[in-house]
Amino acid sequence: MMIKYAIFDLDDTLLDFKRGEREGLTKIMTKYGVSDLKQGFDTYTKINHQVWEAIEQGQARDALLNTRFSKAFDLLGIKVDGATVEAEYRNSLDTNFYKLQGVDELLSDLKAAGVHLFTSRN
């Protein structure tokens, strides 16, 4: 049986999401004056985890995502517009082009074998 199609999720399958996320967060935190990046990352990670738990429980995704930066930055003593910072962060994630090791070879091999490739990014 020949495989005709392959579907890949982009984040942490083909693209290095963690690297793109860290770079995006570093840019955002630096822009808005977070002096202790470790504390900033830790605070954001805690709030982000709470936000995603609420989303998984059925609460409104976009509304929650638009608050995660305002909540995290409030804890750091910085006032920001959550929706604005969320949009900046999303833009940064959309420019993440860091591929995981071996991706080029895998995709080339699949293409050479005539497999049609599809991607998804959630």
Side-chain angles (χ1 to χ4, degrees):
M1 176 173 135
M2 184 175 132
I3 296 173
K4 294 182 181 182
Y5 302 96
I7 300 172
F8 291 96
D9 177 66
L10 288 175
D11 295 336
D12 291 330
T13 303
L14 300 178
L15 297 179
D16 188 344
F17 178 78
K18 288 175 182 55
R19 180 177 175 186
E21 178 185 42
R22 186 152 189 90
E23 286 190 8
L25 289 172
T26 299
K27 268 193 236 180
I28 293 293
M29 291 188 185
T30 302
K31 177 179 178 178
Y32 289 97
V34 175
S35 56
D36 183 341
L37 291 179
K38 182 183 179 337
Q39 179 187 17
F41 290 139
D42 291 346
T43 302
Y44 169 82
T45 300
K46 179 182 173 187
I47 296 296
N48 189 49
H49 181 73
Q50 293 169 355
V51 163
W52 280 105
E53 279 184 349
I55 291 169
E56 289 168 3
Q57 293 172 5
Q59 294 184 34
R61 182 181 190 271
D62 290 341
L64 284 167
L65 290 176
N66 283 336
T67 66
R68 63 182 170 174
F69 283 102
S70 55
K71 288 178 180 178
F73 277 72
D74 277 349
L75 292 173
L76 297 167
I78 301 169
K79 299 290 180 208
V80 298
D81 178 80
T84 299
V85 179
E86 178 66 23
E88 292 172 357
Y89 177 64
R90 289 267 153 212
N91 185 54
S92 177
L93 288 180
D94 288 345
T95 59
N96 171 21
F97 300 112
Y98 300 112
K99 294 178 275 184
L100 292 171
Q101 184 175 356
V103 165
D104 289 330
E105 296 81 9
L106 170 67
L107 296 177
S108 292
D109 290 349
L110 290 172
K111 184 177 178 183
V115 176
H116 298 277
L117 306 175
F118 300 93
T119 61
S120 166
R121 183 178 216 170
N122 293 330

